[in-house]
Amino acid sequence: MTLANRSLITTDDLSNAEMEALFSLADRMSHAMDEQLGLCRGKIMASLFFEPSTRTRLSFETAMHRLGGSVITAADVGATSLAKGESIADMAKVVGSYVDIIVIRHPWEGAAKVVADYAGVPVINAGDGGHQHPTQTLCDLYTIRKEKRTIRGLNIALWGDLKYGRTIHSLIFALAKFGANILFCPTPGLEVPQHIIEKLTTEYGGEIAREEALTPMVKDGLFPVDAIYVTPSRPHQLAMMPGVNIKVELKRGIDALYVTRPQKERFTAAEQREELTKKYRVVDKKLLKGKAFQETVVMHPLPRVDELAHELDADPRSKYFEQAAQGVPVRMALISLLLGVTQVSVPAEDTSRKVDYPLYQQAVGPKCPNPRCVSVQETEAKYLKPEFKIVNREPLTLRCNYCEHGFEPKYVASAEWHEGRTATKTYHPAASRWAKRIKPENLIAFHSAEEAEAHGFKPSRDVKALQEES
Ligand code: CP
């Protein structure tokens, strides 16, 4: 099987078997660096980094050089024509006509998907805002696998900024795919976004335990855990005996602690004022002295700021510099596979768990409410049509195809009922019995009554009743 001409935008783009094959290839390449020099001769990689980077950019560029290919770089948006108002799609088409593969980092969530949609060559997401960073996840999984031999069944704790950390968001889904248990240890105010929790529990089959279930452990003073995702391969009595099960889980200890820095550059003005970084608990020798941490691998995607004590650098449990070094062989393997210069044998993917959601198909409809989404930026909204998956009907929930934020529109109408007959252009509360009867292909959604009425829809009796109540 070949991975040629594919793009990597989120961790969903590679199956477990494909990731395993990539890791085996990275192993082989790391043991024979000199032999890879001819693999990508004549190929060119564009390295477009519109946010700061040390590891991702330089390890990608090193990887391409080690494969014998060439690199062109733009590392400052101000030095490109994006600064003159050019769209991402136009840039992607042009750069795609120069090179064989594009690596892009961009502050807008979903920007890498737009590049992949327009470039005509494989595209690798090197971080799109707070959305995802799938190649960091490949390095993370590779490191865990090297240290622990497996990922399935491990207890992995995620620490710090779980709200804006894109490495965290990619890693959560990958750990769930590989069957790990995940302990969420956020700094207060920086918890995992609800849309990620919803995707995790609906699409990956595990269960989340919170609050009262965690009280015994928090009381034991072990760890500031907010919630635990328990993989489906673990016993399923969690809902019945939560405290007991979690204690059993934790007795085995923490297999890996993944620390992240506060992503201050993404904080809202209110979050800046709250000084969330002052609430950040530092991971140091004292924290890791307990029995539960004896075999813990300490990881960090880096850069570190103040959240991980330098005293841990010499501790044999610390693996964050090895994790960064794995970036070269892992990215060499990825580039060579997507360029089709290397083939791997991959068993067919088990697609039984895959959820195929209906798509929102109307020209009229809501914009993504995420202000960081690429689809709502002035230069991009001129040509990008908002795209959503209908991920739930009760409550009605749409998920943006670009940034993956989920939201619940307040009102709905049907394209079938009003077609050509404006008198019946009526909108309903999204939770009403009418709403549930609308076929997905006819569904029109609105954030507000004003939005529905601006499109010529009139309130239904249910809407009027609700408006009178409030
Ligand atoms: N881990 C990571 O993405 O590091 P850089 O921001 O330095 O690329």
Side-chain angles (χ1 to χ4, degrees), residues 146-161:
K146 264 191 178 312
E147 298 299 324
K148 299 283 177 188
R149 295 217 186 108
T150 181
I151 297 166
R152 176 159 298 282
L154 296 185
N155 290 334
I156 313 263
L158 307 181
W159 184 276
D161 184 351

Side-chain angles (χ1 to χ4, degrees), residues 424-453:
T424 58
K425 275 179 81 170
T426 309
Y427 68 96
H428 307 268
S432 68
R433 64 200 157 100
W434 294 107
K436 287 161 207 157
R437 287 169 50 185
I438 301 171
K439 289 186 195 145
E441 61 270 27
N442 293 326
L443 186 75
I444 303 175
F446 301 108
H447 286 301
S448 65
E450 292 74 30
E451 199 177 85
E453 287 168 32

Side-chain angles (χ1 to χ4, degrees), residues 171-185:
L171 185 58
I172 283 174
F173 296 125
L175 289 175
K177 268 192 344 177
F178 276 94
N181 301 312
I182 309 171
L183 288 79
F184 298 101
C185 312

Side-chain angles (χ1 to χ4, degrees), residues 8-248:
L8 176 60
I9 307 304
T10 72
T11 42
D12 290 338
D13 292 329
L14 291 175
S15 68
N16 287 14
E18 287 166 344
M19 287 193 209
E20 291 284 7
L22 185 149
F23 296 149
S24 301
L25 180 60
D27 280 340
R28 292 204 297 279
M29 286 181 157
S30 66
H31 291 123
M33 282 285 182
D34 293 348
E35 289 167 26
Q36 317 305 323
L37 255 178
L39 268 182
C40 286
R41 190 157 291 136
K43 303 282 186 192
I44 304 178
M45 180 182 87
S47 162
L48 312 177
F49 277 74
F50 302 136
E51 276 191 335
S53 170
T54 298
R55 276 145 293 275
T56 314
R57 179 178 153 218
L58 297 182
S59 62
F60 261 117
E61 296 187 4
T62 304
M64 191 53 165
H65 286 300
R66 290 222 178 259
L67 292 166
S70 309
V71 178
I72 59 168
T73 301
D76 172 11
V77 75
T80 74
S81 288
L82 291 178
K84 302 174 200 161
E86 183 172 46
S87 69
I88 290 179
D90 285 359
M91 178 205 66
K93 277 188 217 169
V94 172
V95 177
S97 72
Y98 299 159
V99 302
D100 302 287
I101 189 163
I102 297 174
V103 179
I104 177 145
R105 171 170 290 187
H106 198 286
W108 293 341
E109 297 172 11
K113 171 176 159 48
V114 178
V115 177
D117 288 346
Y118 287 88
V121 295
V123 172
I124 301 172
N125 180 6
D128 57 339
H131 176 217
Q132 287 227 1
H133 190 349
T135 67
Q136 178 62 51
T137 294
L138 293 177
C139 302
D140 302 339
L141 298 180
Y142 188 67
T143 305
I144 296 171
R145 192 173 153 278
K146 264 191 178 312
E147 298 299 324
K148 299 283 177 188
R149 295 217 186 108
T150 181
I151 297 166
R152 176 159 298 282
L154 296 185
N155 290 334
I156 313 263
L158 307 181
W159 184 276
D161 184 351
L162 310 192
K163 180 174 183 182
Y164 294 116
R166 57 190 170 203
T167 66
I168 289 283
H169 303 161
S170 292
L171 185 58
I172 283 174
F173 296 125
L175 289 175
K177 268 192 344 177
F178 276 94
N181 301 312
I182 309 171
L183 288 79
F184 298 101
C185 312
T187 296
L190 295 172
E191 290 80 11
V192 181
Q194 189 54 28
H195 66 269
I196 291 182
I197 295 288
E198 268 167 30
K199 183 172 170 185
L200 187 61
T201 47
T202 53
E203 293 176 32
Y204 295 85
E207 300 175 50
I208 293 273
R210 279 186 189 278
E211 293 167 2
E212 67 276 18
L214 299 169
T215 307
M217 184 183 54
V218 176
K219 269 197 193 140
D220 288 350
L222 180 64
F223 221 44
V225 178
D226 165 68
I228 296 186
Y229 170 85
V230 181
T231 195
S233 61
R234 310 299 301 172
H236 269 271
Q237 310 93 350
L238 191 69
M240 287 178 283
M241 302 187 341
V244 173
N245 268 336
I246 287 166
K247 275 191 160 175
V248 169

Side-chain angles (χ1 to χ4, degrees), residues 5 22 335 366 430:
N5 299 320
L22 185 149
I335 293 168

Side-chain angles (χ1 to χ4, degrees), residues 203-468:
E203 293 176 32
Y204 295 85
E207 300 175 50
I208 293 273
R210 279 186 189 278
E211 293 167 2
E212 67 276 18
L214 299 169
T215 307
M217 184 183 54
V218 176
K219 269 197 193 140
D220 288 350
L222 180 64
F223 221 44
V225 178
D226 165 68
I228 296 186
Y229 170 85
V230 181
T231 195
S233 61
R234 310 299 301 172
H236 269 271
Q237 310 93 350
L238 191 69
M240 287 178 283
M241 302 187 341
V244 173
N245 268 336
I246 287 166
K247 275 191 160 175
V248 169
E249 285 299 330
L250 286 167
K251 274 213 171 109
R252 290 198 309 108
I254 308 296
D255 296 294
L257 173 62
Y258 190 94
V259 187
T260 58
R261 75 177 169 92
Q263 309 278 306
K264 277 197 269 188
E265 65 275 30
R266 303 194 206 291
F267 284 7
T268 60
E271 286 165 343
Q272 301 275 10
R273 281 195 299 277
E274 268 187 68
E275 299 193 87
L276 294 175
T277 49
K278 286 194 179 153
K279 299 180 187 164
Y280 237 80
R281 186 152 172 211
V282 177
V283 173
D284 53 16
K285 276 194 170 165
K286 191 172 160 216
L287 183 95
L288 299 184
K289 74 176 185 327
K291 205 170 156 222
F293 300 105
Q294 266 174 2
E295 304 292 327
T296 304
V297 174
V298 182
M299 301 174 68
H300 194 309
L302 303 178
R304 121 177 87 182
V305 191
D306 298 317
E307 65 286 344
L308 185 59
H310 285 263
E311 66 184 12
L312 283 173
D313 293 1
D315 190 301
R317 294 169 293 181
S318 297
K319 297 292 170 193
Y320 28 91
F321 290 113
E322 283 91 333
Q323 190 185 346
Q326 317 291 13
V328 175
V330 166
R331 290 178 171 116
M332 283 170 75
L334 179 65
I335 293 168
S336 72
L337 289 169
L338 300 187
L339 283 175
V341 298
T342 311
Q343 316 264 317
V344 283
S345 155
V346 180
E349 189 185 354
D350 173 11
T351 52
S352 56
R353 271 255 179 87
K354 278 215 159 160
V355 189
D356 263 336
Y357 295 110
L359 295 177
Y360 183 88
Q361 293 177 344
Q362 303 304 318
V364 173
K367 280 188 193 165
C368 177
N370 172 15
R372 296 180 175 90
C373 178
V374 68
S375 71
V376 300
Q377 308 305 323
E378 201 182 326
T379 45
E380 317 308 313
K382 291 177 197 163
Y383 66 96
L384 286 182
K385 184 173 151 309
E387 288 178 18
F388 307 104
K389 291 189 177 82
I390 305 170
V391 296
N392 199 0
R393 292 302 294 254
E394 288 184 58
L396 176 65
T397 311
L398 304 186
R399 183 191 295 157
C400 175
N401 269 355
Y402 292 97
C403 68
E404 297 197 277
H405 271 239
F407 61 98
E408 296 176 17
K410 278 197 158 142
Y411 298 103
V412 295
S414 168
E416 190 180 43
W417 295 341
H418 76 74
E419 205 168 9
R421 290 183 290 140
T422 46
T424 58
K425 275 179 81 170
T426 309
Y427 68 96
H428 307 268
S432 68
R433 64 200 157 100
W434 294 107
K436 287 161 207 157
R437 287 169 50 185
I438 301 171
K439 289 186 195 145
E441 61 270 27
N442 293 326
L443 186 75
I444 303 175
F446 301 108
H447 286 301
S448 65
E450 292 74 30
E451 199 177 85
E453 287 168 32
H455 285 98
F457 289 83
K458 295 194 168 37
S460 68
R461 266 186 300 191
D462 286 350
V463 172
K464 284 182 190 157
L466 270 180
Q467 284 169 344
E468 276 160 24

